[in-house]
């Protein structure tokens, strides 16, 4: 098919990649006495489990690295929704709503003012105050939920995206080549929707864990299971409603994730292929990794900026206590 294959393959120092317009070949250098052979490398040759394992491994690594920034983002969005955190003066928050997750008052029943009694002012301010007031490890609050979420969701999302894209590209190239550039948008949206619905309760627990403050020394904060039980408890006497509450905000999550995937993949594929094409026949493993990373960075930034208002709406729905 036209264009570069999106899957580059695993390269070793003994391998040399040659890219010729619409196909990719991997030529392996054999020792003297061995005959050379060419192997066609294509993502279509990868099994579902190979896709799932590689995607889950990437998700595992990224979840650990970016979790502190995710905590900062969630805290800032929760604060704007009216969540009160320790150290925030009551006078500055008297007009906020009471229908969101709240943090406990001090032992005397009233919030006290201290030298650092200010609201979160930005990302760095959140990170500094979390470390000072709750401990360094709290920057990774909700990491267990992120890991529990990342492996199955990305293990579903990325393989399904590859499968949907390959299948639809073959169909469109044969019947309607003019719509082929739009295939990544549709494939990314479909794959993201399936992954989002299948793992949503854990996503809900992660947001609540990151939004809540827990500064008690020697007391372990609630985990994923305890958080989900807490989500169901307000409606425990309403039968089926208790299980439906685990999907509170699913519509907002889909409203954020589907456009995010559409913008991300529609930007990433052309950027990545253009960068790989510009490298010509001299591309190396480092160059290919750089092209993938750069394209992903630009596409992810564009998608995040475009869907940020939807992300704010998603966070507010997920931290709501009173529907």
């Amino acid at each position: 098919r036209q264009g570069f294959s999106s899957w580059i393959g695993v390269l070793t120092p003994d391998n040399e990649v040659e890219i010729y317009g619409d196909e990719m070949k991997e030529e392996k250098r054999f020792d003297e006495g061995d005959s050379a052979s060419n192997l066609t490398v294509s993502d279509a040759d990868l099994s579902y489990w190979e896709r799932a394992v590689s995607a889950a491994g990437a998700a595992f690594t990224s979840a650990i690295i970016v979790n502190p920034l995710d905590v900062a983002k969630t805290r800032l969005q929760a604060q704007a929704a009216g969540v009160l955190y320790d150290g925030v003066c009551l006078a500055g928050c008297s007009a906020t709503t009471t229908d969101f997750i709240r943090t406990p008052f001090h032992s005397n029943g009233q919030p006290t003012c201290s030298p650092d009694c200010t609201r979160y002012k930005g990302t760095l301010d959140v990170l500094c105050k979390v470390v000072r007031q709750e401990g360094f490890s709290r920057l990774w609050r909700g990491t267990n939920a992120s890991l529990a979420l990342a492996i199955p969701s990305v293990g579903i999302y990325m393989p399904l995206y590859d499968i949907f894209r390959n299948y639809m590209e073959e169909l469109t190239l044969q019947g309607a080549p003019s719509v082929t550039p739009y295939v990544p948008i549709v494939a990314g949206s479909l794959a993201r929707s399936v992954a989002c619905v299948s793992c949503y309760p854990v996503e809900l627990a992660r947001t609540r864990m990151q939004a809540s403050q827990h500064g008690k020394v020697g007391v372990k904060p609630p985990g994923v299971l305890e958080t989900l039980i807490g989500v169901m408890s307000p409606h425990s006497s309403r039968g089926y409603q208790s299980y439906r509450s685990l999907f509170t905000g699913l519509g907002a999550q889909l409203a954020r994730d589907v456009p995010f995937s559409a913008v991300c993949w529609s930007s990433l594929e052309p950027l990545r292929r253009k960068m790989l094409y510009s490298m010509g026949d001299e591309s190396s493993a480092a160059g290919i990794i750089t092209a993938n990373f750069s394209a992903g960075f630009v596409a992810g930034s564009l998608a995040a900026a475009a869907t940020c208002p939807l992300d704010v709406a998603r966070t507010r729905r997920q931290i709501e206590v009173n529907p």
Side-chain angles (χ1 to χ4, degrees):
R1 61 179 185 267
Q2 298 177 352
F4 293 107
S5 173
S6 63
W7 187 265
I8 303 303
V10 180
L11 306 178
T12 65
D14 294 331
N15 293 348
E16 182 181 79
V17 172
E18 299 177 358
I19 301 177
Y20 297 99
D22 62 352
E23 68 178 3
M24 180 182 302
K25 294 181 179 180
E26 179 185 15
E27 181 179 347
K28 184 173 183 179
R29 299 173 180 173
F30 292 89
D31 296 333
E32 293 184 2
D34 292 339
S35 59
S37 63
N38 291 333
L39 301 176
T40 301
V41 178
S42 172
D43 59 350
D45 297 330
L46 294 170
S47 68
Y48 178 87
W49 291 110
E50 287 174 324
R51 301 171 194 268
V53 170
S54 60
F60 183 90
T61 304
S62 62
I64 295 176
I65 294 175
V66 305
N67 196 81
L69 295 175
D70 207 26
V71 169
K73 175 184 70 74
T74 303
R75 290 282 182 98
L76 288 170
Q77 292 177 347
Q79 178 179 257
V83 176
L84 300 182
Y85 292 102
D86 267 349
V88 180
C89 291
L90 183 62
C93 303
S94 57
T96 58
T97 179
T98 60
D99 287 338
F100 294 95
I101 297 173
R102 307 300 292 267
T103 56
F105 283 172
H106 291 280
S107 56
N108 59 5
Q110 294 293 331
T112 60
C113 292
S114 61
D116 62 342
C117 182
T118 56
R119 295 170 64 87
Y120 293 137
K121 298 177 181 179
T123 302
L124 292 178
D125 189 47
V126 176
L127 298 178
C128 292
K129 287 180 179 177
V130 169
V131 172
R132 183 169 62 250
Q133 298 172 1
E134 304 174 49
F136 184 76
S137 62
R138 292 296 182 262
L139 291 177
W140 279 267
R141 177 87 168 106
T143 301
N144 55 344
S146 297
L147 297 178
L149 175 71
I151 294 177
S153 66
V154 181
I156 295 171
Y157 176 39
M158 296 300 293
L160 282 183
Y161 168 74
D162 278 342
I163 293 171
F164 288 157
R165 190 204 62 223
N166 292 339
Y167 178 73
M168 286 188 285
E169 277 186 349
E170 291 178 359
L171 290 180
T172 56
L173 285 173
Q174 294 173 2
S178 60
V179 302
T180 301
Y182 303 100
V183 164
I185 301 177
V186 179
S189 299
L190 288 175
R192 190 63 185 176
S193 299
V194 175
C196 177
V197 174
S198 62
C199 305
Y200 183 75
V202 182
E203 173 72 32
L204 175 65
R206 181 182 67 167
T207 300
R208 291 206 169 203
M209 293 168 69
Q210 291 176 340
S212 63
Q213 189 180 45
H214 188 85
K216 296 181 179 180
V217 180
V219 179
K220 185 178 179 180
V224 177
L225 184 58
E226 294 177 69
T227 302
L228 292 178
I229 292 175
V231 172
M232 294 189 295
S233 60
H235 310 287
S236 58
S237 62
R238 299 170 63 182
Y240 182 61
Q241 290 290 331
S242 63
Y243 296 98
R244 291 181 59 184
S245 63
L246 293 177
F247 293 89
T248 301
L250 176 60
Q253 179 80 22
L254 289 172
R256 194 284 304 260
D257 282 2
V258 172
F260 184 96
S261 296
V263 174
C264 181
W265 289 113
S266 61
S267 304
L268 186 145
E269 294 289 1
L271 285 172
R272 178 166 57 184
R273 292 177 180 180
K274 186 175 182 179
M275 290 180 183
L276 291 174
Y277 180 79
S278 65
M279 294 179 185
D281 298 341
E282 303 299 327
S283 59
S284 62
I288 293 172
I289 292 174
T290 301
N292 283 323
F293 180 85
S294 300
F297 179 85
V298 174
S301 299
L302 291 174
T307 60
C308 186
L310 298 171
D311 189 57
V312 172
R314 174 195 68 95
T315 300
R316 292 202 177 199
R317 287 289 289 120
Q318 289 180 337
I319 66 175
E320 251 181 355
V321 173
N322 186 347

